[in-house]
Amino acid sequence: MKKIVLMCSNGMVAKMREAAAKAGYECTINAYSLAAAKEVGTDADCILIGPQVKHKLPQVQKDCPDVPVAAIEMKDYGMMNGAAVLKAARKLMGEEV
């Protein structure tokens, strides 16, 4: 089972969980503060950060060097498009979607 960590709002987590359930994709999706990246992100399969804090991307990459990290697209975040963000996470993990 894949572990997806978000450094953003819980609202996006709910939308992504809905999209994963609808697609039958087994994963865990949880949101944390950026300050928790080292504690919760090092064993993740990928980390997505909110677009409002994408300037912190290098720090999260440094804190979790073996985990793929990317910022969520502003459009998808603003529209709470959980399916698009889940697709981005799967692409980041190297899965075909």
Side-chain angles (χ1 to χ4, degrees):
M1 180 179 303
K2 296 292 184 178
K3 178 181 176 183
I4 301 170
V5 169
L6 298 181
M7 304 293 173
C8 71
S9 73
N10 283 321
M12 181 56 74
V13 170
K15 294 294 187 178
M16 288 181 69
R17 286 178 180 163
E18 288 173 19
K22 186 175 179 179
Y25 183 71
E26 291 189 30
C27 63
T28 62
I29 305 169
N30 292 298
Y32 304 93
S33 71
L34 282 170
K38 273 187 177 180
E39 294 88 47
V40 300
T42 56
D43 68 339
D45 292 294
C46 76
I47 298 172
L48 295 173
I49 65 172
Q52 71 278 20
V53 291
K54 75 178 184 180
H55 64 280
K56 295 287 190 176
L57 185 68
Q59 184 60 50
V60 176
Q61 290 170 321
K62 181 181 173 189
D63 289 345
C64 306
D66 298 322
V67 180
V69 182
I72 298 169
E73 290 291 327
M74 179 66 84
K75 179 182 86 172
D76 295 332
Y77 188 83
M79 296 184 72
M80 297 298 284
N81 188 338
V85 178
L86 179 62
K87 183 176 181 177
R90 294 185 69 184
K91 184 176 180 180
L92 186 61
M93 292 184 287
E95 297 181 1
E96 294 295 322
V97 287

